[in-house]
Amino acid sequence: MALRSGPMSRLLLPGRTLIQRFAYLFLLLGAVGLMLVGKADVVLVERARTAVIDATAPILDFLSRPAAKVAAAIEDVRQLWDLRQEVDRLRQENERLLRWQQAARQLESENAQLRELMNVVPEPGVRFVTARVIADAGGAFVRSLLVNAGGRDGVRKGQIAMTAQGMVGRVAEVGDRQARVLLVTDLNSRIPVMLESSRERAMLSGDNAERPRLQYLGTNARVEVGDRIVTSGHGGAFPPGLPIGLVASASDWEVRVQPYVDMSRLEYIRLVDFQLDGILLEADRSLARSPGRR
Amino acid sequence: MIAVSLSRSLDRLRRVTPILSCFLMVLLSVAPHGLPQFQAVSPDLAMMTVFYWAIYRPDLLPNWAVFVVGLFQDLLGGVIIGLNVAVLLIVHYVGLSQRRAFIGKPFVIAWVGFLLVAIGTGIVFWVALSIMSGTIVIGRAVLFQYVLTFALFPVMTWVLVRVHRYVVG
């Protein structure tokens, strides 16, 4: 692959090289300065990010459409291979689910009756927005998504991102037309959870691996592979009982959880407003409440 | 008159193509591709593009433009602000200062050069991120990301050579 060399031999003159080197040094110092500023003034960085992403959201939206199409086509071809098996599996699953549906209906009516008897305070209403994933930013270092719904669609910081299978993450930044969702697998994600069967409390902390870790389990807690993990609702940031995943591996020093949702193939997610703002700071809270402002 | 001004604006467009291509690559690298297991290892397209132009047309990709591209990538990608700026600047500097070693030589030499640059910046990236976040970020995904970036370099070069020949001229 031989290439024509352009008219830039003048760049290699010694004087220019010296100036060039100084320019690099200057720009590199600028980069280091940016890192320090980013560490010190989180709000400023977040504003800048939101502005840039807002400006590029239409382009990202445009780019994500063919990508989704290609992914769907690949998936189609793959599914053709094992269509028959899939039908069988779904038929069985359908049967099982119908039985569950019956059970759920019974429980629902029983629950309603009991609530009425006990005079339980009703949970606040739940609203949600469904949004399309327009970018999965971050690569190997950050687990977050951009979705094409933002402040003007009613998305607020702290809302929970879910699919039908379970929890995906939490809204971390909100722009006008887009929002950033921090996935449960991200390095910065900490979610108070419990084991559904034993009600044992723990903290689900992401470390950018596909399976987040379960930390701060009680010393006598018994964890087994396959245990269901749900949110505990402690701290007031997440409602209790949202499904997150199953215990995938449990050893003496580490317990890892496989989320129900396959984070690599998200296309549409729901951003649910449970009307909770336990983790937001006082300043954020006023922002979160006044719509139309960032 | 019209023809003159048209050719002038076309010429201007040609001259900013390298910079525009860098921005486009940043956008492409965050677009969701939906491939299972590959989300974590999206290749660093901007790094390859910067390296290419630094070698073959550095006059059209000045270092301040690299700074802006890196900043754009950082703001969009959600990693620490300034980290990609530094990484891309290093890539640009190495490409530019060693371009004599690459121009007119077999492609394999540029590829090996890129591998060395990628390894170096990968280490910078990983160390900086581990320091800034206060934990050791696990390295496997990082490694895969760089392996993929390295493997896709010929493909990217193929595309950029076409852009170089037919658009930039």
PDB file of all heavy atoms in Angstrom, chain A residues 3 8 12 21 24 35 39 49 67 134-136 138-141 143 210, chain B residues 30 32 37 39-40 56 67 77-79 81 92-93 99-100 125 129 132 145:
ATOM      1  N   LEU A   3       1.904   4.974  -0.791  1.00  0.00           N
ATOM      2  CA  LEU A   3       1.084   6.179  -0.884  1.00  0.00           C
ATOM      3  C   LEU A   3       1.909   7.348  -1.377  1.00  0.00           C
ATOM      4  O   LEU A   3       3.104   7.436  -1.138  1.00  0.00           O
ATOM      5  CB  LEU A   3       0.521   6.507   0.483  1.00  0.00           C
ATOM      6  CG  LEU A   3      -0.754   5.750   0.774  1.00  0.00           C
ATOM      7  CD1 LEU A   3      -0.940   5.628   2.238  1.00  0.00           C
ATOM      8  CD2 LEU A   3      -1.923   6.437   0.133  1.00  0.00           C
ATOM      9  N   MET A   8       4.321  18.203   2.378  1.00  0.00           N
ATOM     10  CA  MET A   8       4.485  18.640   3.758  1.00  0.00           C
ATOM     11  C   MET A   8       5.887  18.401   4.263  1.00  0.00           C
ATOM     12  O   MET A   8       6.118  18.214   5.438  1.00  0.00           O
ATOM     13  CB  MET A   8       3.472  17.980   4.682  1.00  0.00           C
ATOM     14  CG  MET A   8       3.477  16.487   4.715  1.00  0.00           C
ATOM     15  SD  MET A   8       2.715  15.912   3.213  1.00  0.00           S
ATOM     16  CE  MET A   8       2.509  14.229   3.455  1.00  0.00           C
ATOM     17  N   LEU A  12       8.994  19.156   8.371  1.00  0.00           N
ATOM     18  CA  LEU A  12      10.099  18.474   9.009  1.00  0.00           C
ATOM     19  C   LEU A  12      11.323  19.355   9.197  1.00  0.00           C
ATOM     20  O   LEU A  12      12.356  18.898   9.646  1.00  0.00           O
ATOM     21  CB  LEU A  12      10.466  17.235   8.191  1.00  0.00           C
ATOM     22  CG  LEU A  12       9.309  16.230   8.172  1.00  0.00           C
ATOM     23  CD1 LEU A  12       9.575  15.129   7.169  1.00  0.00           C
ATOM     24  CD2 LEU A  12       9.098  15.639   9.556  1.00  0.00           C
ATOM     25  N   ARG A  21       6.731  20.597  18.660  1.00  0.00           N
ATOM     26  CA  ARG A  21       6.885  19.880  19.925  1.00  0.00           C
ATOM     27  C   ARG A  21       6.306  20.668  21.069  1.00  0.00           C
ATOM     28  O   ARG A  21       5.629  20.121  21.941  1.00  0.00           O
ATOM     29  CB  ARG A  21       8.360  19.602  20.186  1.00  0.00           C
ATOM     30  CG  ARG A  21       8.689  18.269  19.603  1.00  0.00           C
ATOM     31  CD  ARG A  21       9.984  17.720  20.014  1.00  0.00           C
ATOM     32  NE  ARG A  21      10.312  16.730  19.000  1.00  0.00           N
ATOM     33  CZ  ARG A  21      11.516  16.410  18.643  1.00  0.00           C
ATOM     34  NH1 ARG A  21      12.537  16.974  19.212  1.00  0.00           N
ATOM     35  NH2 ARG A  21      11.718  15.508  17.725  1.00  0.00           N
ATOM     36  N   TYR A  24       2.656  20.346  21.065  1.00  0.00           N
ATOM     37  CA  TYR A  24       2.200  19.085  21.657  1.00  0.00           C
ATOM     38  C   TYR A  24       2.221  19.144  23.178  1.00  0.00           C
ATOM     39  O   TYR A  24       1.269  18.726  23.838  1.00  0.00           O
ATOM     40  CB  TYR A  24       3.099  17.933  21.196  1.00  0.00           C
ATOM     41  CG  TYR A  24       2.682  17.362  19.888  1.00  0.00           C
ATOM     42  CD1 TYR A  24       3.432  17.568  18.750  1.00  0.00           C
ATOM     43  CD2 TYR A  24       1.519  16.613  19.783  1.00  0.00           C
ATOM     44  CE1 TYR A  24       3.046  17.057  17.536  1.00  0.00           C
ATOM     45  CE2 TYR A  24       1.118  16.102  18.576  1.00  0.00           C
ATOM     46  CZ  TYR A  24       1.886  16.329  17.457  1.00  0.00           C
ATOM     47  OH  TYR A  24       1.495  15.818  16.265  1.00  0.00           O
ATOM     48  N   MET A  35      -8.473  16.703  32.636  1.00  0.00           N
ATOM     49  CA  MET A  35      -8.720  15.581  33.546  1.00  0.00           C
ATOM     50  C   MET A  35      -8.941  16.094  34.969  1.00  0.00           C
ATOM     51  O   MET A  35      -9.854  15.653  35.661  1.00  0.00           O
ATOM     52  CB  MET A  35      -7.548  14.613  33.539  1.00  0.00           C
ATOM     53  CG  MET A  35      -7.473  13.762  32.303  1.00  0.00           C
ATOM     54  SD  MET A  35      -6.176  12.525  32.451  1.00  0.00           S
ATOM     55  CE  MET A  35      -5.468  12.568  30.831  1.00  0.00           C
ATOM     56  N   LYS A  39     -12.306  16.026  37.210  1.00  0.00           N
ATOM     57  CA  LYS A  39     -12.375  15.395  38.530  1.00  0.00           C
ATOM     58  C   LYS A  39     -12.939  16.384  39.560  1.00  0.00           C
ATOM     59  O   LYS A  39     -13.680  16.005  40.459  1.00  0.00           O
ATOM     60  CB  LYS A  39     -10.954  14.977  38.939  1.00  0.00           C
ATOM     61  CG  LYS A  39     -10.898  13.939  40.041  1.00  0.00           C
ATOM     62  CD  LYS A  39     -11.144  12.555  39.503  1.00  0.00           C
ATOM     63  CE  LYS A  39     -11.046  11.555  40.642  1.00  0.00           C
ATOM     64  NZ  LYS A  39     -11.738  10.310  40.343  1.00  0.00           N
ATOM     65  N   ARG A  49     -21.093  17.595  28.591  1.00  0.00           N
ATOM     66  CA  ARG A  49     -21.463  16.322  27.974  1.00  0.00           C
ATOM     67  C   ARG A  49     -22.863  16.375  27.418  1.00  0.00           C
ATOM     68  O   ARG A  49     -23.114  15.978  26.290  1.00  0.00           O
ATOM     69  CB  ARG A  49     -21.455  15.229  29.039  1.00  0.00           C
ATOM     70  CG  ARG A  49     -20.153  14.645  29.185  1.00  0.00           C
ATOM     71  CD  ARG A  49     -20.232  13.236  29.683  1.00  0.00           C
ATOM     72  NE  ARG A  49     -18.881  12.766  29.626  1.00  0.00           N
ATOM     73  CZ  ARG A  49     -18.259  12.148  30.612  1.00  0.00           C
ATOM     74  NH1 ARG A  49     -18.888  11.864  31.700  1.00  0.00           N
ATOM     75  NH2 ARG A  49     -17.026  11.775  30.469  1.00  0.00           N
ATOM     76  N   ALA A  67     -27.792   0.145  12.063  1.00  0.00           N
ATOM     77  CA  ALA A  67     -27.138  -0.821  12.954  1.00  0.00           C
ATOM     78  C   ALA A  67     -28.163  -1.779  13.529  1.00  0.00           C
ATOM     79  O   ALA A  67     -27.959  -2.994  13.552  1.00  0.00           O
ATOM     80  CB  ALA A  67     -26.406  -0.078  14.064  1.00  0.00           C
ATOM     81  N   ILE A 134     -29.759   4.765  21.403  1.00  0.00           N
ATOM     82  CA  ILE A 134     -29.119   5.323  20.212  1.00  0.00           C
ATOM     83  C   ILE A 134     -27.602   5.210  20.256  1.00  0.00           C
ATOM     84  O   ILE A 134     -26.949   5.393  19.249  1.00  0.00           O
ATOM     85  CB  ILE A 134     -29.532   6.789  19.966  1.00  0.00           C
ATOM     86  CG1 ILE A 134     -29.253   7.661  21.173  1.00  0.00           C
ATOM     87  CG2 ILE A 134     -30.980   6.867  19.569  1.00  0.00           C
ATOM     88  CD1 ILE A 134     -29.461   9.115  20.901  1.00  0.00           C
ATOM     89  N   ALA A 135     -27.025   4.902  21.388  1.00  0.00           N
ATOM     90  CA  ALA A 135     -25.581   4.683  21.425  1.00  0.00           C
ATOM     91  C   ALA A 135     -25.224   3.911  22.678  1.00  0.00           C
ATOM     92  O   ALA A 135     -25.818   4.117  23.733  1.00  0.00           O
ATOM     93  CB  ALA A 135     -24.832   6.011  21.427  1.00  0.00           C
ATOM     94  N   ASP A 136     -24.275   2.982  22.530  1.00  0.00           N
ATOM     95  CA  ASP A 136     -23.751   2.377  23.755  1.00  0.00           C
ATOM     96  C   ASP A 136     -22.326   2.865  23.921  1.00  0.00           C
ATOM     97  O   ASP A 136     -21.389   2.321  23.380  1.00  0.00           O
ATOM     98  CB  ASP A 136     -23.854   0.853  23.795  1.00  0.00           C
ATOM     99  CG  ASP A 136     -23.566   0.224  22.450  1.00  0.00           C
ATOM    100  OD1 ASP A 136     -22.887   0.876  21.650  1.00  0.00           O
ATOM    101  OD2 ASP A 136     -24.005  -0.907  22.236  1.00  0.00           O
ATOM    102  N   GLY A 138     -18.765   4.222  25.591  1.00  0.00           N
ATOM    103  CA  GLY A 138     -17.848   3.849  26.663  1.00  0.00           C
ATOM    104  C   GLY A 138     -16.874   2.751  26.350  1.00  0.00           C
ATOM    105  O   GLY A 138     -15.773   2.746  26.843  1.00  0.00           O
ATOM    106  N   GLY A 139     -17.257   1.800  25.540  1.00  0.00           N
ATOM    107  CA  GLY A 139     -16.332   0.722  25.225  1.00  0.00           C
ATOM    108  C   GLY A 139     -15.984  -0.097  26.443  1.00  0.00           C
ATOM    109  O   GLY A 139     -16.861  -0.474  27.211  1.00  0.00           O
ATOM    110  N   ALA A 140     -14.682  -0.337  26.627  1.00  0.00           N
ATOM    111  CA  ALA A 140     -14.274  -1.278  27.666  1.00  0.00           C
ATOM    112  C   ALA A 140     -14.296  -0.668  29.064  1.00  0.00           C
ATOM    113  O   ALA A 140     -14.157  -1.368  30.046  1.00  0.00           O
ATOM    114  CB  ALA A 140     -12.860  -1.772  27.362  1.00  0.00           C
ATOM    115  N   PHE A 141     -14.496   0.632  29.171  1.00  0.00           N
ATOM    116  CA  PHE A 141     -14.290   1.266  30.465  1.00  0.00           C
ATOM    117  C   PHE A 141     -15.564   1.721  31.172  1.00  0.00           C
ATOM    118  O   PHE A 141     -15.590   1.869  32.377  1.00  0.00           O
ATOM    119  CB  PHE A 141     -13.368   2.468  30.301  1.00  0.00           C
ATOM    120  CG  PHE A 141     -12.033   2.071  29.773  1.00  0.00           C
ATOM    121  CD1 PHE A 141     -11.706   2.277  28.454  1.00  0.00           C
ATOM    122  CD2 PHE A 141     -11.132   1.441  30.592  1.00  0.00           C
ATOM    123  CE1 PHE A 141     -10.489   1.875  27.966  1.00  0.00           C
ATOM    124  CE2 PHE A 141      -9.913   1.048  30.110  1.00  0.00           C
ATOM    125  CZ  PHE A 141      -9.584   1.265  28.794  1.00  0.00           C
ATOM    126  N   ARG A 143     -19.933   1.369  31.307  1.00  0.00           N
ATOM    127  CA  ARG A 143     -21.122   0.686  30.809  1.00  0.00           C
ATOM    128  C   ARG A 143     -22.290   1.649  30.875  1.00  0.00           C
ATOM    129  O   ARG A 143     -22.925   1.794  31.923  1.00  0.00           O
ATOM    130  CB  ARG A 143     -21.427  -0.537  31.678  1.00  0.00           C
ATOM    131  CG  ARG A 143     -20.389  -1.608  31.603  1.00  0.00           C
ATOM    132  CD  ARG A 143     -20.526  -2.385  30.323  1.00  0.00           C
ATOM    133  NE  ARG A 143     -19.578  -3.478  30.302  1.00  0.00           N
ATOM    134  CZ  ARG A 143     -18.317  -3.349  29.894  1.00  0.00           C
ATOM    135  NH1 ARG A 143     -17.879  -2.205  29.488  1.00  0.00           N
ATOM    136  NH2 ARG A 143     -17.528  -4.394  29.905  1.00  0.00           N
ATOM    137  N   GLU A 210     -19.205  -8.425  32.845  1.00  0.00           N
ATOM    138  CA  GLU A 210     -20.570  -8.704  32.432  1.00  0.00           C
ATOM    139  C   GLU A 210     -21.459  -9.067  33.622  1.00  0.00           C
ATOM    140  O   GLU A 210     -22.651  -8.848  33.594  1.00  0.00           O
ATOM    141  CB  GLU A 210     -20.541  -9.874  31.468  1.00  0.00           C
ATOM    142  CG  GLU A 210     -21.183  -9.576  30.152  1.00  0.00           C
ATOM    143  CD  GLU A 210     -20.771 -10.627  29.160  1.00  0.00           C
ATOM    144  OE1 GLU A 210     -21.442 -11.669  29.154  1.00  0.00           O
ATOM    145  OE2 GLU A 210     -19.784 -10.410  28.437  1.00  0.00           O
TER     146      GLU A 210
ATOM    147  N   VAL B  30     -19.481   4.854  18.694  1.00  0.00           N
ATOM    148  CA  VAL B  30     -20.461   4.736  19.786  1.00  0.00           C
ATOM    149  C   VAL B  30     -21.824   4.258  19.291  1.00  0.00           C
ATOM    150  O   VAL B  30     -22.698   3.963  20.092  1.00  0.00           O
ATOM    151  CB  VAL B  30     -20.660   6.058  20.574  1.00  0.00           C
ATOM    152  CG1 VAL B  30     -19.384   6.491  21.237  1.00  0.00           C
ATOM    153  CG2 VAL B  30     -21.234   7.152  19.711  1.00  0.00           C
ATOM    154  N   PRO B  32     -24.673   1.899  18.353  1.00  0.00           N
ATOM    155  CA  PRO B  32     -24.866   0.509  18.799  1.00  0.00           C
ATOM    156  C   PRO B  32     -24.909  -0.436  17.606  1.00  0.00           C
ATOM    157  O   PRO B  32     -25.593  -0.165  16.631  1.00  0.00           O
ATOM    158  CB  PRO B  32     -26.232   0.556  19.501  1.00  0.00           C
ATOM    159  CG  PRO B  32     -26.931   1.724  18.912  1.00  0.00           C
ATOM    160  CD  PRO B  32     -25.881   2.703  18.490  1.00  0.00           C
ATOM    161  N   GLN B  37     -21.973  -9.609  22.969  1.00  0.00           N
ATOM    162  CA  GLN B  37     -20.638  -9.719  23.581  1.00  0.00           C
ATOM    163  C   GLN B  37     -19.637  -8.730  23.004  1.00  0.00           C
ATOM    164  O   GLN B  37     -18.500  -8.690  23.418  1.00  0.00           O
ATOM    165  CB  GLN B  37     -20.044 -11.127  23.429  1.00  0.00           C
ATOM    166  CG  GLN B  37     -20.992 -12.266  23.670  1.00  0.00           C
ATOM    167  CD  GLN B  37     -21.636 -12.233  25.027  1.00  0.00           C
ATOM    168  OE1 GLN B  37     -21.043 -11.743  25.962  1.00  0.00           O
ATOM    169  NE2 GLN B  37     -22.867 -12.697  25.144  1.00  0.00           N
ATOM    170  N   GLN B  39     -20.137  -5.368  22.719  1.00  0.00           N
ATOM    171  CA  GLN B  39     -20.339  -3.997  23.148  1.00  0.00           C
ATOM    172  C   GLN B  39     -19.119  -3.476  23.893  1.00  0.00           C
ATOM    173  O   GLN B  39     -18.719  -2.338  23.732  1.00  0.00           O
ATOM    174  CB  GLN B  39     -21.570  -3.945  24.052  1.00  0.00           C
ATOM    175  CG  GLN B  39     -21.857  -2.576  24.567  1.00  0.00           C
ATOM    176  CD  GLN B  39     -22.795  -2.667  25.755  1.00  0.00           C
ATOM    177  OE1 GLN B  39     -22.872  -3.689  26.422  1.00  0.00           O
ATOM    178  NE2 GLN B  39     -23.500  -1.603  26.008  1.00  0.00           N
ATOM    179  N   ALA B  40     -18.536  -4.379  24.686  1.00  0.00           N
ATOM    180  CA  ALA B  40     -17.431  -3.941  25.536  1.00  0.00           C
ATOM    181  C   ALA B  40     -16.147  -3.730  24.743  1.00  0.00           C
ATOM    182  O   ALA B  40     -15.229  -3.102  25.210  1.00  0.00           O
ATOM    183  CB  ALA B  40     -17.193  -4.964  26.635  1.00  0.00           C
ATOM    184  N   TYR B  56       0.187  10.188   6.646  1.00  0.00           N
ATOM    185  CA  TYR B  56       0.119  10.457   5.218  1.00  0.00           C
ATOM    186  C   TYR B  56      -0.294  11.879   4.850  1.00  0.00           C
ATOM    187  O   TYR B  56       0.043  12.363   3.795  1.00  0.00           O
ATOM    188  CB  TYR B  56      -0.802   9.431   4.556  1.00  0.00           C
ATOM    189  CG  TYR B  56      -0.270   8.038   4.702  1.00  0.00           C
ATOM    190  CD1 TYR B  56      -0.894   7.099   5.520  1.00  0.00           C
ATOM    191  CD2 TYR B  56       0.902   7.660   4.058  1.00  0.00           C
ATOM    192  CE1 TYR B  56      -0.384   5.826   5.675  1.00  0.00           C
ATOM    193  CE2 TYR B  56       1.419   6.389   4.211  1.00  0.00           C
ATOM    194  CZ  TYR B  56       0.779   5.478   5.014  1.00  0.00           C
ATOM    195  OH  TYR B  56       1.295   4.217   5.175  1.00  0.00           O
ATOM    196  N   PHE B  67      -6.811  17.427  19.251  1.00  0.00           N
ATOM    197  CA  PHE B  67      -7.270  17.787  20.599  1.00  0.00           C
ATOM    198  C   PHE B  67      -8.794  17.857  20.633  1.00  0.00           C
ATOM    199  O   PHE B  67      -9.452  17.265  21.510  1.00  0.00           O
ATOM    200  CB  PHE B  67      -6.664  19.150  20.973  1.00  0.00           C
ATOM    201  CG  PHE B  67      -6.918  19.567  22.390  1.00  0.00           C
ATOM    202  CD1 PHE B  67      -6.010  19.271  23.387  1.00  0.00           C
ATOM    203  CD2 PHE B  67      -8.069  20.257  22.728  1.00  0.00           C
ATOM    204  CE1 PHE B  67      -6.233  19.651  24.692  1.00  0.00           C
ATOM    205  CE2 PHE B  67      -8.304  20.639  24.019  1.00  0.00           C
ATOM    206  CZ  PHE B  67      -7.387  20.343  25.014  1.00  0.00           C
ATOM    207  N   GLY B  77     -18.279   9.723  24.851  1.00  0.00           N
ATOM    208  CA  GLY B  77     -18.096   8.353  25.311  1.00  0.00           C
ATOM    209  C   GLY B  77     -18.269   8.147  26.801  1.00  0.00           C
ATOM    210  O   GLY B  77     -18.450   7.041  27.248  1.00  0.00           O
ATOM    211  N   GLY B  78     -18.189   9.209  27.553  1.00  0.00           N
ATOM    212  CA  GLY B  78     -18.416   9.056  28.978  1.00  0.00           C
ATOM    213  C   GLY B  78     -17.217   8.559  29.763  1.00  0.00           C
ATOM    214  O   GLY B  78     -17.364   8.165  30.903  1.00  0.00           O
ATOM    215  N   VAL B  79     -16.042   8.545  29.164  1.00  0.00           N
ATOM    216  CA  VAL B  79     -14.855   8.212  29.924  1.00  0.00           C
ATOM    217  C   VAL B  79     -14.310   9.521  30.508  1.00  0.00           C
ATOM    218  O   VAL B  79     -14.862  10.592  30.275  1.00  0.00           O
ATOM    219  CB  VAL B  79     -13.819   7.508  29.032  1.00  0.00           C
ATOM    220  CG1 VAL B  79     -12.760   6.817  29.864  1.00  0.00           C
ATOM    221  CG2 VAL B  79     -14.497   6.496  28.147  1.00  0.00           C
ATOM    222  N   ILE B  81     -12.788  12.910  31.103  1.00  0.00           N
ATOM    223  CA  ILE B  81     -12.518  13.994  30.161  1.00  0.00           C
ATOM    224  C   ILE B  81     -11.014  14.245  30.079  1.00  0.00           C
ATOM    225  O   ILE B  81     -10.361  14.406  31.101  1.00  0.00           O
ATOM    226  CB  ILE B  81     -13.210  15.295  30.630  1.00  0.00           C
ATOM    227  CG1 ILE B  81     -14.705  15.082  30.767  1.00  0.00           C
ATOM    228  CG2 ILE B  81     -12.903  16.447  29.687  1.00  0.00           C
ATOM    229  CD1 ILE B  81     -15.430  14.954  29.484  1.00  0.00           C
ATOM    230  N   HIS B  92      -0.902  10.812  17.495  1.00  0.00           N
ATOM    231  CA  HIS B  92      -0.613  11.757  16.423  1.00  0.00           C
ATOM    232  C   HIS B  92       0.872  12.107  16.406  1.00  0.00           C
ATOM    233  O   HIS B  92       1.506  12.141  15.354  1.00  0.00           O
ATOM    234  CB  HIS B  92      -1.466  13.012  16.616  1.00  0.00           C
ATOM    235  CG  HIS B  92      -1.402  13.965  15.468  1.00  0.00           C
ATOM    236  ND1 HIS B  92      -0.668  15.114  15.508  1.00  0.00           N
ATOM    237  CD2 HIS B  92      -1.987  13.931  14.254  1.00  0.00           C
ATOM    238  CE1 HIS B  92      -0.801  15.752  14.347  1.00  0.00           C
ATOM    239  NE2 HIS B  92      -1.596  15.064  13.567  1.00  0.00           N
ATOM    240  N   TYR B  93       1.410  12.349  17.594  1.00  0.00           N
ATOM    241  CA  TYR B  93       2.814  12.732  17.683  1.00  0.00           C
ATOM    242  C   TYR B  93       3.711  11.616  17.167  1.00  0.00           C
ATOM    243  O   TYR B  93       4.624  11.861  16.365  1.00  0.00           O
ATOM    244  CB  TYR B  93       3.193  13.084  19.126  1.00  0.00           C
ATOM    245  CG  TYR B  93       4.650  13.465  19.248  1.00  0.00           C
ATOM    246  CD1 TYR B  93       5.091  14.687  18.774  1.00  0.00           C
ATOM    247  CD2 TYR B  93       5.569  12.587  19.811  1.00  0.00           C
ATOM    248  CE1 TYR B  93       6.426  15.030  18.848  1.00  0.00           C
ATOM    249  CE2 TYR B  93       6.893  12.921  19.888  1.00  0.00           C
ATOM    250  CZ  TYR B  93       7.321  14.152  19.414  1.00  0.00           C
ATOM    251  OH  TYR B  93       8.640  14.492  19.474  1.00  0.00           O
ATOM    252  N   ARG B  99       6.905   9.329  10.635  1.00  0.00           N
ATOM    253  CA  ARG B  99       6.279   9.065   9.352  1.00  0.00           C
ATOM    254  C   ARG B  99       7.276   8.685   8.266  1.00  0.00           C
ATOM    255  O   ARG B  99       6.966   7.944   7.350  1.00  0.00           O
ATOM    256  CB  ARG B  99       5.427  10.246   8.916  1.00  0.00           C
ATOM    257  CG  ARG B  99       6.138  11.580   8.889  1.00  0.00           C
ATOM    258  CD  ARG B  99       5.095  12.659   8.722  1.00  0.00           C
ATOM    259  NE  ARG B  99       4.475  12.602   7.417  1.00  0.00           N
ATOM    260  CZ  ARG B  99       4.939  13.229   6.345  1.00  0.00           C
ATOM    261  NH1 ARG B  99       6.045  13.939   6.440  1.00  0.00           N
ATOM    262  NH2 ARG B  99       4.318  13.133   5.211  1.00  0.00           N
ATOM    263  N   ARG B 100       8.500   9.178   8.388  1.00  0.00           N
ATOM    264  CA  ARG B 100       9.531   8.807   7.415  1.00  0.00           C
ATOM    265  C   ARG B 100       9.717   7.295   7.360  1.00  0.00           C
ATOM    266  O   ARG B 100      10.022   6.726   6.325  1.00  0.00           O
ATOM    267  CB  ARG B 100      10.855   9.444   7.834  1.00  0.00           C
ATOM    268  CG  ARG B 100      10.943  10.909   7.491  1.00  0.00           C
ATOM    269  CD  ARG B 100      11.784  11.083   6.232  1.00  0.00           C
ATOM    270  NE  ARG B 100      11.608  12.400   5.679  1.00  0.00           N
ATOM    271  CZ  ARG B 100      12.464  13.401   5.863  1.00  0.00           C
ATOM    272  NH1 ARG B 100      13.537  13.201   6.594  1.00  0.00           N
ATOM    273  NH2 ARG B 100      12.238  14.556   5.313  1.00  0.00           N
ATOM    274  N   PHE B 125      -3.795   4.514  28.966  1.00  0.00           N
ATOM    275  CA  PHE B 125      -5.237   4.573  29.214  1.00  0.00           C
ATOM    276  C   PHE B 125      -5.611   3.797  30.477  1.00  0.00           C
ATOM    277  O   PHE B 125      -6.309   4.270  31.360  1.00  0.00           O
ATOM    278  CB  PHE B 125      -5.951   3.939  28.017  1.00  0.00           C
ATOM    279  CG  PHE B 125      -7.284   4.544  27.722  1.00  0.00           C
ATOM    280  CD1 PHE B 125      -7.500   5.184  26.519  1.00  0.00           C
ATOM    281  CD2 PHE B 125      -8.326   4.467  28.629  1.00  0.00           C
ATOM    282  CE1 PHE B 125      -8.717   5.748  26.229  1.00  0.00           C
ATOM    283  CE2 PHE B 125      -9.536   5.033  28.346  1.00  0.00           C
ATOM    284  CZ  PHE B 125      -9.735   5.674  27.146  1.00  0.00           C
ATOM    285  N   LEU B 129      -6.891   5.401  33.974  1.00  0.00           N
ATOM    286  CA  LEU B 129      -8.255   5.098  34.410  1.00  0.00           C
ATOM    287  C   LEU B 129      -8.251   4.447  35.785  1.00  0.00           C
ATOM    288  O   LEU B 129      -9.090   4.746  36.637  1.00  0.00           O
ATOM    289  CB  LEU B 129      -8.938   4.189  33.398  1.00  0.00           C
ATOM    290  CG  LEU B 129     -10.450   4.197  33.556  1.00  0.00           C
ATOM    291  CD1 LEU B 129     -11.012   5.434  32.878  1.00  0.00           C
ATOM    292  CD2 LEU B 129     -11.079   2.963  33.008  1.00  0.00           C
ATOM    293  N   MET B 132      -7.550   7.234  38.296  1.00  0.00           N
ATOM    294  CA  MET B 132      -8.654   8.163  38.454  1.00  0.00           C
ATOM    295  C   MET B 132      -9.858   7.517  39.132  1.00  0.00           C
ATOM    296  O   MET B 132     -10.586   8.166  39.864  1.00  0.00           O
ATOM    297  CB  MET B 132      -9.099   8.728  37.092  1.00  0.00           C
ATOM    298  CG  MET B 132      -8.061   9.540  36.389  1.00  0.00           C
ATOM    299  SD  MET B 132      -7.565  11.021  37.266  1.00  0.00           S
ATOM    300  CE  MET B 132      -8.530  12.267  36.464  1.00  0.00           C
ATOM    301  N   GLN B 145     -10.268  -5.086  23.297  1.00  0.00           N
ATOM    302  CA  GLN B 145     -10.522  -3.874  22.532  1.00  0.00           C
ATOM    303  C   GLN B 145      -9.319  -3.509  21.662  1.00  0.00           C
ATOM    304  O   GLN B 145      -9.466  -3.180  20.489  1.00  0.00           O
ATOM    305  CB  GLN B 145     -10.847  -2.723  23.480  1.00  0.00           C
ATOM    306  CG  GLN B 145     -10.963  -1.399  22.755  1.00  0.00           C
ATOM    307  CD  GLN B 145     -11.694  -0.361  23.583  1.00  0.00           C
ATOM    308  OE1 GLN B 145     -12.323  -0.678  24.589  1.00  0.00           O
ATOM    309  NE2 GLN B 145     -11.612   0.869  23.158  1.00  0.00           N
TER     310      GLN B 145
END
